[in-house]
Amino acid sequence: MSLLGKIDKARIPEHITIIMDGNGRWAKARGLERVEGHKQGITALREVVEAASKVSVKYLTVYAFSTENWDRPSEEVDALMELIVYAVAKETPSLIENGVRVASIGDLSRLPVKTRQSLQDCMDKTAPGNGLTLVLALSYSSRWELTEAARAIARDVKNGLLSQESITEKELSRYLTTYTLPDPDLLIRTGGEKRISNFLLWQLAYSELYFTDTFWPDFGEEELYAAIFDYQQRERRFGKTSEQVKSK
């Protein structure tokens, strides 16, 4: 029986983020090249996007490629960039049909021109979508993002566009790449590791964390529902007491 029937449709997390880990280990366990794990990971992402849309998740942000990933062997990086081009082009018609809008965060200037153009084409074509927003974190890391924000704030203070006294948490958030998105309600990490790996450090301050040993290529619809169901069993207090939350 599907876990879908156990999920409270009135308490679906608005924004889910996923660290899609375990592609390489999935492939290695099967005697395959690492890139085969990444290919299977695309299939998993398609299934998760469809499942998230089915339960009316509004935002799904996936950690697709970190700034640290540029240090991997060049053969793997090149293969990943080509795979992104292929996957984005292949999936665009289905995304349009399902009303999924694609967005991206990260230092996209580092992406190969072909990859960047393919991504931009997908974002342009899916822009009218009014369903799920799928955010691809590419060439992204939180320390990079916070460093860029600090530089932008320093420039604006120097140019008289911002005063030191007006720098609040809310104001700082406006300088982040995620400024148009709500903070994540739920972070899912696959692959058995229990860390957040330089991902959305500011935004995850009060997110619920869910770790699973399942490698990303094996993560699908039911695994997403299991994470959402687990999330719904928790009490989110945001620094308040349990009594305060219940009273509210």
Side-chain angles (χ1 to χ4, degrees), residues 19-180:
I19 299 176
M20 306 180 293
D21 195 19
N23 291 340
R25 285 173 287 158
W26 180 92
K28 184 178 180 181
R30 289 161 175 76
L32 303 172
E33 295 293 328
R34 288 177 59 87
V35 70
E36 296 302 319
H38 296 304
K39 289 179 180 178
Q40 189 61 33
I42 293 172
T43 300
L45 179 57
R46 182 191 309 124
E47 184 173 338
V48 168
V49 167
E50 291 174 355
S53 296
K54 187 183 295 185
V55 294
S56 299
V57 172
K58 293 183 179 179
Y59 302 93
L60 176 66
T61 300
V62 295
Y63 206 5
F65 192 86
S66 73
T67 54
E68 289 79 13
N69 288 157
W70 289 113
D71 295 327
R72 289 188 175 186
S74 59
E75 297 81 5
E76 181 175 352
V77 172
D78 291 343
L80 277 170
M81 292 299 112
E82 286 296 324
L83 189 56
I84 290 171
V85 172
Y86 165 78
V88 167
K90 183 175 183 294
E91 297 299 327
T92 296
S94 176
L95 294 168
I96 294 172
E97 182 180 348
N98 290 287
V100 176
R101 183 174 72 91
V102 175
S104 63
I105 58 174
D107 186 4
L108 304 184
S109 65
R110 295 186 66 180
L111 298 177
V113 174
K114 188 177 179 181
T115 305
R116 199 161 60 242
Q117 289 176 340
S118 180
L119 177 62
Q120 187 61 56
D121 183 63
C122 177
M123 291 192 292
D124 291 343
K125 289 180 177 178
T126 61
N130 57 4
L132 172 73
T133 296
L134 173 63
V135 183
L136 304 177
L138 289 164
S139 189
Y140 171 90
S141 78
S142 195
R143 289 184 175 181
W144 162 82
E145 177 183 40
L146 291 170
T147 299
E148 290 299 303
R151 287 172 176 164
I153 289 172
R155 283 195 299 269
D156 283 353
V157 169
K158 180 180 179 181
N159 294 330
L161 301 174
L162 184 70
S163 68
Q164 295 183 42
E165 294 73 19
S166 65
I167 302 175
T168 61
E169 288 185 17
K170 184 176 181 180
E171 186 65 24
L172 193 153
S173 293
R174 288 201 313 108
Y175 286 84
L176 301 179
T177 60
T178 57
Y179 72 96
T180 61

